[in-house]
Amino acid sequence: MAGKRKTNPAGSTNSYRADVLRVLGALKVATADQIQRISTPHLTFRHADKPTPSKRKQARTASHTGALSDMRKHGLSENGGSTDTGDALRNLTTKGLEAASYELRRPATEMGSTARGAGSSGASHPMAVNETVIALLCPKPDVAKLADDPPHVQAAAQAAVDGPSGVGTIASYWTEVPLPATGTWNAPGKGGAQADLVLTAPQDRVPLLFIEVDNCHETAEELTAKLEKYARFFRRRVKDTDGKERPMWRTRWMASEDRYGDVPHPPVLLVFNHIGERNPNRTIPRLMERTRHLWQGDRQREGHHLYDGKIPIVAVGLRNLRKHGPTGPVFLRFGRDHPQPLLEAIGNPRRDAADAREAEEWRVRQEEYQAQLRKAAREQAAKKAVEAAREAAQREARRPACACAGCGSRFTDERWEAAEETDWGRPVDTHPTLCDTCKHVAVAADQQEQAEPLPDRTDGRTPSPGPRQVPKPKSGGWFSRLRS
């Protein structure tokens, strides 16, 4: 224990230091409060009984504050100023970013900068970006870790668990990502944009989402220019590893191929944090009109739109996002007249409904076609059965009426066919009126009679030919019936 204290004087554990690396590796700069709310939200409910908000914050962030202190001793993190409310800002060093790349399982080249000096002016924009991430994540407390806490603490934590679902994990988010219209990923040229956030959460049906956070300091014209840079980046094509040209963004992020005839660009989410002088309710309509050529789709006869080569642009207020989460109907897609949940806003539900109707119609047509095939097969089978029965009846009509002349049994089909065979109009069979068994007996009897020698005379003279005496068969045998 003494050795651990010497290495980590603040008494931090590996799990809390890993929390700091993951959060600061993704967000670049954050407060201990934000780190705790993202990584261990159950602590928020455990210390809710403290008398003042400051004491509650101090209690629930103590573990991560200690981890930050130990990491600063090891050269992994540093203090980066403070926010407007006096909270200390923390960021990673270059060594810390390298350690965070292992925690986040990202290449070190994609970790970005250390964000040193971000807190020199209060870091209002990075804080808004972090709050956007927290609102999208909707971190859920681990109720099992509150098993020994009072019932009202467990009830509050369970209510948070039952609340709106979030999107992704902290590892799903990138901050300050360059979008080069010229140059390369590592050395972007002029004319490109820089995304405040990039979200990749295919497990939550959000394969790729670019996020811009505005503290309502920018005008509609400035936001339009930024979206034009997005469009320029989306249109840029480069050669991929297989030698084929693809959109540059597809060489870094995985996203499913779109449907034939409808290949929109990735969606862009605008998050308005109303702390500046601009009113988003006035900025959004002007921005919508100025960027119409970027987002407006082509209406189809079925009632939906196709957005081939267009950017789905969605707007939301940070306060609404905090309150309702990604599943709340607070996201306004440019060109639509009502807010929707995030998945519907960035998607094309009318197209999905039209495709579903078309698939259902196709399924019904296929079932009807298969039913027709089965009916035709049954009719054909019935027709063949009737034809077979008719042929069998005709065959039976042609069958000889009499039975075997020897034993009285009816001929089999094979024996009947053999008895009817002819050679130039003459019967081939020697005994056409007998069955196989009686025929064999008759043939054997004929062969025996032909093999018996004539009796010798006592005087030695050659017997004169005379009428052949045929032995009289026993009464009731096959021969008597044949003669009769």
Side-chain angles (χ1 to χ4, degrees), residues 386-399 416:
V386 172
E387 184 67 21
R390 184 181 62 81
E391 291 179 357
Q394 293 176 352
R395 184 180 184 84
E396 287 298 322
R398 295 195 306 269
R399 187 189 297 271
W416 176 29

Side-chain angles (χ1 to χ4, degrees), residues 428-450:
V428 175
D429 198 281
T430 57
H431 300 77
T433 59
L434 301 179
C435 66
D436 286 333
T437 302
C438 296
K439 176 183 175 181
H440 293 325
V441 173
V443 171
D446 291 344
Q447 293 175 352
Q448 183 179 2
E449 291 177 2
Q450 294 176 3

Side-chain angles (χ1 to χ4, degrees), residues 105 143 313 351 460:
R105 299 182 180 179
V143 181
I313 302 176
R351 168 77 184 269

